[in-house]
Amino acid sequence: MRSWNFYAGPATLPLSALERARDEMIDWAGTGMSVMETSHRSKEYDAVHHEAMDLFRELLGLDDDHIVLFLQGGASLQFAMVPMNFIPKGGSADYVITGSWAEKAFKEANIVAKARIAGTSEGNGFTRVPAQHELDLDPGAAYVHITSNNTIKGTQYHEFPTPGAVPMVADMSSDLLWRPFDANRFALIYAGAQKNLGPSGVTAVIVKRSWVETANSGLPTMLRYGIHLKEESLYNTPPTFSIYIVRNVLQWVKAEGGLAAMERRNRAKAELLYGTIDGSSGFYRCPVEPASRSVMNVVWRLPSEELEGKFLGEAKTNRMFGLKGHRSVGGCRASIYNAMGIDGVEALASFMKDFAQRNG
Ligand SMILES: *Cc1c(COP(=O)(O)O)cnc(C)c1O
């Protein structure tokens, strides 16, 4: 029996993606081996690798100047790889600080190059993302870096900034593929797979080829986007099993109706959950300003930490897991990525109403 899994990441996966892996675990594609045991240079693996890339391209509607890469080291390595590749000597990049992950990206950029803060919502306790007019953008910046969804704070950009001619880079680790959007506007997008795309171990990077041509070529081989682009993410052994699961997940996204269908479901789930919080006469309280509320990570507080502990304990006995807020902020958080069905959110909302009635 499956549990209701609200973990922020690694997170719940579509059942069909897991079932396919189960069915093919011992004997995959007629090889008498699992995908994990097969050469990454075999034609069977190559088909999976390219199918995953092609599905990404198709779902996002990428143009010919954009390519999908599968890298390792998580989103955290991208925090360093992006500035290493794209901030020239004497140059600088702009960062918008909207929470702990954005801060980490900014700090990492300052280790390897120079970065400046072009905007921050720290003054508001990160309860919203800054509006375009609050940004102080440097027209000479190497790029502008944003975090599209702030997994810990529960905020999300519903409209992206428009930095003019400056290339835009986004950490979309916790919301890539939640809805259709114009990915071609971005010079680079990265996302650790373990939130909305698949298991941990692989990072999806969508990058503009013509921008990669301008990258610093004096870096160690594994840190150069150019080499991964040229070798189609097969320069060295890729995380084959993780990519295989990502392929299964992308097949599911497509079969469900693509990103437009994901958006409809995700909005319905988020509306139900925020409606439950806002309709609880103050028992539950979401600290995030309505216009910046995340459709992926919903955060809320109860009247006391004691009640929060009781809530989380009872949730577990109802087979609802992963509802504890990040250790840096406390409270509760439900991560309701693509693979979380509306039935899971309905179960959570009805538990929340019942708990409020008994404890309010
Ligand atoms: C989880 C997360 C990260 C860190 O990802 P790793 O793959 O663990 O390095 C970075 N950014 C955001 C927005 C995240 O949610």
Side-chain angles (χ1 to χ4, degrees):
M1 184 190 172
R2 297 273 291 166
S3 296
W4 299 120
N5 176 355
F6 296 100
Y7 279 113
T12 192
L13 292 167
L15 190 58
S16 66
L18 297 173
E19 284 173 340
R20 179 163 186 187
R22 177 199 61 197
D23 294 345
E24 297 180 339
M25 184 61 75
I26 307 294
D27 180 3
W28 158 73
T31 60
M33 305 170 209
S34 71
V35 63
M36 278 180 280
E37 303 166 290
T38 309
S39 168
H40 59 293
R41 308 285 175 200
S42 69
K43 72 175 191 321
E44 289 85 2
Y45 175 72
D46 200 66
V48 169
H49 192 84
H50 284 96
E51 187 184 354
M53 286 177 177
D54 291 346
L55 281 165
F56 246 119
R57 294 197 72 76
E58 184 185 339
L59 288 166
L60 286 170
L62 296 182
D63 63 27
D64 289 342
D65 199 21
H66 283 77
I67 185 159
V68 181
L69 307 176
F70 293 128
L71 306 184
Q72 300 191 60
S76 298
L77 184 59
Q78 296 306 302
F79 293 167
M81 255 176 92
V82 169
M84 287 170 103
N85 277 269
F86 295 112
I87 305 180
K89 267 213 171 56
S92 136
D94 275 356
Y95 279 70
V96 184
I97 311 296
T98 48
S100 347
W101 292 119
E103 237 157 32
K104 281 194 174 157
F106 172 68
K107 284 197 179 131
E108 211 63 16
N110 268 307
I111 293 174
V112 299
K114 202 168 135 275
R116 68 188 271 283
I117 296 177
T120 174
S121 47
E122 191 172 8
N124 314 296
F126 296 120
T127 55
R128 63 180 179 81
V129 296
Q132 173 85 22
H133 72 266
E134 295 173 293
L135 301 180
D136 163 33
L137 296 169
D138 169 9
Y143 57 83
V144 181
H145 180 283
I146 62 165
T147 309
S148 59
N149 183 70
N150 299 282
T151 326
I152 296 172
K153 300 290 179 182
T155 64
Q156 188 174 29
Y157 280 95
H158 292 283
E159 259 172 73
F160 294 120
T162 45
V166 177
M168 188 149 60
V169 173
D171 174 1
M172 297 198 181
S173 290
S174 51
D175 70 349
L176 182 59
L177 302 190
W178 88 268
R179 65 162 173 184
F181 73 105
D182 186 4
N184 296 317
R185 263 182 63 200
F186 290 81
L188 191 147
I189 292 166
Y190 60 90
Q194 70 273 18
K195 272 85 181 220
N196 208 23
L197 307 173
S200 61
V202 61
T203 311
V205 175
I206 292 139
V207 66
K208 203 169 170 164
R209 290 171 196 273
S210 50
W211 200 42
V212 171
E213 280 160 20
T214 71
N216 178 0
S217 58
L219 297 170
T221 312
M222 278 295 286
L223 299 178
R224 301 207 306 254
Y225 290 106
I227 197 85
H228 296 297
L229 192 156
K230 183 167 157 270
E231 302 293 336
E232 302 187 328
S233 307
L234 286 161
Y235 168 72
N236 73 327
T237 319
T240 51
F241 191 69
S242 295
I243 293 169
Y244 161 86
I245 299 284
V246 167
R247 190 279 314 263
N248 291 0
V249 171
L250 298 180
Q251 278 184 332
W252 171 83
V253 171
K254 186 178 170 184
E256 290 290 305
L259 302 192
M262 292 296 122
E263 177 173 15
R264 276 195 300 279
R265 289 167 39 137
N266 287 328
R267 286 198 189 278
K269 288 182 290 177
E271 265 166 39
L272 175 55
L273 208 41
Y274 285 116
T276 304
I277 293 166
D278 294 340
S280 69
S281 310
F283 184 77
Y284 301 111
R285 195 175 44 79
C286 172
V288 179
E289 292 187 22
S292 291
R293 286 180 173 183
S294 170
V295 168
M296 298 275 96
N297 308 96
V298 179
V299 297
W300 70 91
R301 303 297 313 227
L302 275 73
S304 67
E305 284 188 14
E306 193 191 336
L307 275 171
E308 283 169 356
K310 190 175 176 210
F311 176 87
L312 294 169
E314 282 191 27
K316 279 186 190 158
T317 63
N318 285 284
R319 303 186 64 80
M320 294 177 191
F321 297 94
L323 288 168
K324 197 172 163 55
H326 190 268
R327 57 187 190 277
S328 63
V329 294
C332 302
R333 168 177 58 178
S335 298
I336 50 173
Y337 302 121
N338 285 355
M340 170 57 66
I342 185 83
D343 48 353
V345 179
E346 281 166 358
L348 174 59
S350 94
F351 166 67
M352 286 171 73
K353 279 181 195 145
D354 179 62
F355 186 89
Q357 219 156 42
R358 286 184 286 109
N359 295 278

